[in-house]
Amino acid sequence: MPGQAASSAVSTFPWGRRHLTCSLRAVSARTMANFVELSTKAKVPILGLGTWKSGLGEVREAVKGAIDIGYRHLDCAYVYENEHEVGEAIQEKIQEKAVKREELFIVSKLWPTFMEKHLVRESCQKTLKDLRLDYLDLYVIHFLQALQPGEDLIPKDDKGDTISSKTTFLDTWEAVEELVDEGLVKNIGISNFNHFQIERLLNKPGLKYKPVINQVECHPYLTQEKLIQYCQSKGISATAYSPLGCPNRSGAKPEDPSLLEDPKINEIAAKHKKSAAQASVLWCLGLAALTHVGSSRNRDRTSIPGMVLIRFHIQRHVIVIPKSVTLARIAENFQVFDFKLSDEEMATLLSLNRDWRYYPFHWLKSLEEYPLYAEY
Ligand SMILES: NC(=O)c1ccc[n+]([C@@H]2O[C@H](COP(=O)([O-])OP(=O)(O)OC[C@H]3O[C@@H](n4cnc5c(N)ncnc54)[C@H](OP(=O)(O)O)[C@@H]3O)[C@@H](O)[C@H]2O)c1
């Protein structure tokens, strides 16, 4: 179990968790200046913690551990069905004065069955209540196709086809803009939009607020160069999801390409092994499992490629939100600010592009707003 791996990494530390937490905070403090500035001038920590598939009973410790390590950006969503536990973890950390609310950047997303205008506010308030917050730093339209409201997250008809709603994302955007005016959210954004759809939104008559972020799948097999360039030219920042190729995704086939096992990515990773000095600091912090000098029992062979895959986005000024519920990996994924990929290595990573999507959204395919028909 991932949760068990996390607690054993901590319990092996001889001076106890409290000391580990303080030391990690000191180590991470120097990395705190790594932000992307949005068009609203809000600053987003470039590295956040993803929480999709972070199960109940494990996400609380993951979020608390992440905050101790130095993460200040959490990526949440109504549909992840764990926001209440994320909220409890945030509150605990605020109450013990490990972090202040204003130091955190909390993202959530509006699910398509709530895209009808009269449901938007209610959905946002449900998320705020679960997360125990007064405001969100960013609220994102999760998918651009509105679906029939109701209990089912993906409503289907008798033939098994997804049932849409007549509401368009342009209608929804007006309701989302109202959330900004009401102070419930500070910034608003989009997810999974292609550039034609973004263009439609930007050209919407009476547009009050522009989206600040487009959150999309992105990694070396799907580099999204054109879409990112387009977004950035319009003042829209990009967030990369599934940066590690989401190895735990449902429906994964053995023949699917694996980023973490890619020989070129591993070759680059091997060149960026932690130095002996860094390794000994991590060892002292009880995190030997994060280094390549730990015992072979503790060594995680997939760990270092993960750092390269995260660093890849940081050097492109793309926000990145790897998910983990394993404390050792959460800590390791944060160790990406003390090395730099060379121009040649970045070029190699970009050359791996094959427009491969781990998430082709089959359930949206028959619907009007299916975004992946366009080249970008
Ligand atoms: N807007 C959208 O439509 C959308 C879609 C997908 C995802 N997202 C967001 O993006 C986040 C990240 O994407 P994702 O969850 O799809 O996938 P991901 O971050 O690419 O991969 C997560 C998986 O990688 C494992 N992992 C984490 N760090 C690792 C490391 N250093 N070495 C080896 N394995 C590691 C995790 O395992 P353990 O947890 O067991 O450690 C988990 O199974 C999501 O959690 C969510 O917040 C948004």
Side-chain angles (χ1 to χ4, degrees), residues 26 50 158 163 165 183 201 216 237 240-241 248 250 314 324 331 369 375:
D158 296 342
I163 312 171
S165 146
L201 179 54
V216 291
S237 300
Y241 72 67
N248 67 333
S250 48
I314 292 173
S324 179
E369 296 292 2
E375 182 199 350

Side-chain angles (χ1 to χ4, degrees), residues 2-3 49-54 58 75-77 80 109 140-143 191-192 215-217 240-249 259-260 300 302-307 310 321-330 332-333 359 361:
L49 180 75
T51 61
W52 184 33
K53 292 186 187 246
S54 299
E58 55 186 9
D75 185 75
C76 314
Y80 301 164
K109 311 189 192 81
V140 164
I141 296 188
H142 204 149
F143 287 97
S191 179
N192 300 305
Q215 187 179 121
V216 291
E217 181 179 336
Y241 72 67
S242 305
L244 309 173
C246 195
N248 67 333
R249 68 196 180 282
L259 285 163
L260 290 165
D300 180 350
T302 58
S303 59
I304 300 297
M307 291 187 198
I310 294 166
I321 48 171
K323 171 264 176 183
S324 179
V325 289
T326 311
L327 190 58
R329 286 175 173 169
I330 294 172
E332 172 192 284
N333 292 347
Y359 293 110
F361 306 129

Side-chain angles (χ1 to χ4, degrees), residues 127-297:
T127 276
L128 284 170
K129 186 166 173 248
D130 285 349
L131 289 172
R132 303 185 183 204
L133 300 174
D134 298 330
Y135 67 90
L136 292 171
D137 296 276
L138 174 67
Y139 200 41
V140 164
I141 296 188
H142 204 149
F143 287 97
L144 43 169
Q145 175 70 57
L147 299 180
Q148 175 182 276
E151 297 275 295
D152 296 335
L153 292 171
I154 303 182
K156 303 265 187 186
D157 64 17
D158 296 342
K159 288 189 232 139
D161 293 329
T162 306
I163 312 171
S164 60
S165 146
K166 287 201 167 54
T167 298
T168 68
F169 63 78
L170 298 176
D171 300 327
T172 307
W173 192 254
E174 290 176 6
V176 170
E177 286 177 325
E178 284 176 20
L179 301 176
V180 179
D181 292 333
E182 289 178 52
L184 297 179
V185 309
K186 300 257 188 213
N187 299 280
I188 47 180
I190 50 183
S191 179
N192 300 305
F193 278 49
N194 69 34
H195 87 284
F196 292 118
Q197 292 158 329
I198 298 173
E199 200 75 25
R200 272 164 59 205
L201 179 54
L202 294 178
N203 291 334
K204 178 182 133 19
L207 182 79
K208 196 165 179 186
Y209 303 118
K210 282 187 358 178
V212 293
I213 276 180
N214 188 21
Q215 187 179 121
V216 291
E217 181 179 336
C218 189
H219 42 70
Y221 294 160
L222 181 67
T223 50
Q224 300 270 28
E225 280 163 274
K226 288 187 179 168
L227 182 60
I228 290 173
Q229 199 176 24
Y230 169 83
C231 285
Q232 290 177 343
S233 76
K234 301 287 178 187
I236 301 169
S237 300
T239 297
Y241 72 67
S242 305
L244 309 173
C246 195
N248 67 333
R249 68 196 180 282
S250 48
K253 299 192 190 77
E255 64 271 24
D256 288 349
S258 164
L259 285 163
L260 290 165
E261 287 166 18
D262 186 290
K264 287 207 169 129
I265 294 169
N266 276 279
E267 206 177 292
I268 293 172
K271 288 193 203 148
H272 290 277
K273 277 185 184 172
K274 295 281 173 193
S275 69
Q278 289 167 316
S280 67
V281 170
L282 289 172
W283 179 265
C284 290
L285 292 173
L287 295 172
L290 312 186
T291 74
H292 271 212
V293 298
S295 73
S296 58
R297 187 168 54 86

Side-chain angles (χ1 to χ4, degrees), residues 111-129:
W111 187 246
T113 51
F114 297 96
M115 279 176 68
E116 293 191 3
K117 282 176 94 168
H118 66 287
L119 296 175
V120 170
R121 190 168 192 278
E122 188 188 317
S123 180
C124 179
Q125 280 176 325
K126 160 91 172 100
T127 276
L128 284 170
K129 186 166 173 248

